[in-house]
Amino acid sequence: MNTRDFQALDRAHHLHPFTDFKALGEEGSRIIERAEGVYIHDSEGNRILDGMAGLWCVNLGYGRRELVEAATAQLEQLPYYNNFFKTTHPPAVKLAEKLVQLAPEHISHVFFTGSGSEANDTVLRMVRRYWALKGKPEKQWIIGRENGYHGSTLAGMSLGGMDAMHGQGGPCVPNIAHIRQPYWFGEGRDLSPEAFGRECAAALEAKILELGEENVGAFIAEPVQGAGGAIMPPESYWPAVKAVLAKYDILLVADEVICGFGRLGEWFGSVHYDLKPDLMPIAKGLSSGYLPIGGVLVGERVANTLIEEGGEFFHGFTYSGHPTCAAVALKNLELMETEGVVERVRDDLGPYLAKRWSELAEHPLVGQARSLGLMGALELIDPTTGERFDKALGAGNLCRDFCFDSGLVMRSVGDTMIISPPLVISHAEIDELVSKARAALDATAARLARTPQPEETA
């Protein structure tokens, strides 16, 4: 079958996630056929540097034979069995042990799921169950952040703060509120980053007092907002948030689905920011995306209450701790340890990317270039005004398409361009990524310069 045949079948039968189905059908999908290292190859013979590690997840890169062999060996021995009915199996047990070893020292247990969305559904259940067991069932409210992302199930969508999702998914799960995001470039440039960070933390306290501290069970947030635009909070933000949560005895849920497993140069983003959360949803990089698996790392405070006081917890999934997925995840973590992947991101690749990425701030289309570990963002601005482009111009999507044309996957979130490459990327490949990003920026600037402003066409 050729590209057109696949596109026709795709259009006829396949509904893609987060997609305008009609528009994609008219344009035609890009057909990805194979991959190795940090590169994917499409059906037209194009070799493309995957600056998004799949979907924030292919941390060890493509084509790792060891992960294929781990899956094959487990499929031959025990392809599947559940963890219901008082049973378990070695891969789930060993993976739970390894995760607790890697996690912050107060984390004692793991509840396995099939994805990050399921992990956040589990968080919702655990938070409310915990407080009920503590004799405070009224602590139902969970506070999240505007533009935060915690999955696309009903619970995950409700915990997240993306208006477009809420507009299509309502009514949302009740008793979930949202506060402003710590997005300095987008919302706080009239203040210093430090002052803005403290102001955003103050919004959390104000919301707690509005709802009544006796009614608030948890605050959920990513250490760095990923899908919202690689939003790295000011240094003042997390210390102030931690102080608020301690003051009112409210659980902290640090969503590690994107930040976990080396992305920020530590095993978990919570370690980078010294958060010590009560619950940590995980997924994506846990298996480098080779097989679907997620979970919740549970701190002693919550775990001990659920174990000693809770009786049966009526929650779980058919694929919780799936043996083949768990075996691949375990091998993935072992490889990351033995190869020193996390340390290399922290000490070498992250600083090198920061140096090269910051050079793009000199481009007239870039208002800010920021990075942390192996995550980065570029804020696109109109060079004539220093402000955002009119949304009707679609500058971010235009830049994204030029990236693909130049052989680079870089994602657009509005007019914010983001990257999250595999953690095994080399210096030379970072150089290539930056060069191709610059070429896409040049092409975008040239196209926009020839495009009439929306008011001129009215």
Side-chain angles (χ1 to χ4, degrees):
M1 293 176 63
N2 61 29
T3 299
R4 300 299 169 264
D5 293 332
F6 276 115
Q7 289 175 332
L9 285 174
D10 191 62
R11 178 169 54 251
H13 304 296
H14 186 190
L15 299 178
H16 292 235
F18 284 85
T19 294
D20 180 328
F21 307 133
K22 183 178 180 180
L24 179 63
E26 293 171 351
E27 181 180 351
S29 302
R30 186 182 295 271
I31 309 300
I32 305 302
E33 291 190 325
R34 61 187 178 88
E36 86 287 326
V38 301
Y39 297 95
I40 57 175
H41 298 256
D42 70 17
S43 55
E44 296 294 290
N46 297 303
R47 182 175 184 252
I48 305 163
L49 197 161
D50 185 3
M52 283 304 300
L55 201 59
W56 314 88
C57 55
V58 188
N59 287 3
L60 277 185
Y62 298 97
R64 292 303 299 253
R65 192 71 210 167
E66 304 94 328
L67 300 184
V68 176
E69 291 170 353
T72 301
Q74 188 59 47
L75 285 167
E76 291 174 344
Q77 180 174 344
L78 179 68
Y80 169 76
Y81 199 70
N82 63 74
N83 283 272
F84 292 58
F85 316 133
K86 301 181 181 180
T87 67
T88 191
H89 41 71
V93 173
K94 292 178 181 178
L95 180 58
E97 177 191 31
K98 174 58 68 175
L99 284 167
V100 170
Q101 289 174 354
L102 295 174
E105 62 181 13
H106 71 288
I107 298 294
S108 60
H109 288 77
V110 186
F111 188 102
F112 287 116
T113 69
S115 68
S117 292
E118 288 181 3
N120 279 311
D121 283 37
T122 302
V123 160
L124 181 64
R125 294 287 308 279
M126 283 187 171
V127 167
R128 292 179 174 173
R129 179 63 175 156
Y130 169 80
W131 286 116
L133 292 171
K134 286 300 182 183
K136 299 180 180 180
E138 68 279 1
K139 289 177 79 70
Q140 290 275 312
W141 281 90
I142 299 176
I143 300 172
R145 298 192 298 208
E146 296 170 357
N147 200 37
Y149 184 80
H150 303 293
S152 61
T153 56
L154 183 59
M157 177 270 293
S158 300
L159 290 167
M162 294 193 165
D163 291 340
M165 297 179 71
H166 289 182
Q168 293 182 348
C172 298
V173 174
N175 296 332
I176 297 174
H178 299 90
I179 60 170
R180 68 183 309 179
Q181 59 183 332
Y183 184 16
W184 178 78
F185 185 87
E187 301 180 6
R189 282 185 283 169
D190 55 331
L191 298 172
S192 70
E194 293 73 20
F196 180 71
R198 290 190 293 270
E199 185 173 283
C200 291
L204 173 60
E205 183 166 28
K207 181 59 70 173
I208 292 168
L209 295 176
E210 174 192 331
L211 298 172
E213 62 177 289
E214 71 280 3
N215 299 317
V216 180
F219 174 59
I220 182 169
E222 300 166 89
V224 169
Q225 283 173 239
I231 296 168
M232 297 142 198
E235 291 299 318
S236 60
Y237 177 75
W238 275 116
V241 165
K242 287 170 57 181
V244 170
L245 298 177
K247 179 178 179 181
Y248 297 107
D249 191 24
I250 291 170
L251 299 176
L252 172 59
V253 181
D255 187 332
E256 295 276 0
V257 171
I258 285 175
C259 295
F261 307 106
R263 178 58 54 192
L264 304 186
E266 299 286 353
W267 277 101
F268 298 97
S270 297
V271 174
H272 177 82
Y273 288 107
D274 189 30
L275 300 185
K276 298 181 176 63
D278 297 285
L279 298 164
M280 299 165 62
I282 56 173
K284 293 192 183 289
L286 172 56
S287 68
S288 280
Y290 277 56
L291 285 176
I293 186 169
V296 181
L297 299 178
V298 186
E300 293 174 347
R301 174 186 182 184
V302 175
N304 291 345
T305 298
L306 294 176
I307 293 167
E308 299 299 329
E309 305 174 33
E312 184 172 354
F313 184 44
F314 297 106
H315 178 75
F317 306 96
T318 300
Y319 299 125
S320 290
H322 188 292
T324 306
C325 299
V328 170
L330 183 62
K331 176 56 69 172
N332 176 67
L333 298 179
E334 291 175 351
L335 289 171
M336 290 184 71
E337 275 195 299
T338 58
E339 296 176 9
V341 170
V342 177
E343 293 79 8
R344 188 171 180 224
V345 171
R346 182 188 64 213
D347 300 332
D348 177 22
L349 294 174
Y352 187 74
L353 175 66
K355 175 179 176 295
R356 293 303 323 276
W357 195 247
S358 66
E359 296 169 10
L360 295 175
E362 302 167 2
H363 195 282
L365 219 59
V366 176
Q368 184 190 51
R370 59 179 181 268
S371 69
L372 178 60
L374 285 184
M375 185 189 297
L378 302 174
E379 300 284 3
L380 302 187
I381 59 167
D382 184 337
T384 63
T385 66
E387 301 299 328
R388 293 288 198 188
F389 287 99
D390 189 294
K391 289 183 179 180
L393 292 171
N397 287 345
L398 187 63
C399 185
R400 176 201 62 199
D401 293 344
F402 279 125
C403 283
F404 257 121
D405 292 343
S406 67
L408 171 66
V409 177
M410 184 160 63
R411 183 175 175 181
S412 60
V413 178
D415 286 351
T416 304
M417 308 305 300
I418 58 177
I419 58 161
S420 173
L423 306 187
V424 294
I425 194 170
S426 67
H427 283 211
E429 289 161 345
I430 289 174
D431 293 340
E432 179 186 348
L433 188 160
V434 171
S435 176
K436 289 181 173 179
R438 187 183 298 278
L441 290 169
D442 289 343
T444 303
R447 174 68 62 81
L448 289 171
R450 300 194 304 269
T451 303
Q453 293 298 308
E455 60 269 19
E456 296 175 10
T457 62

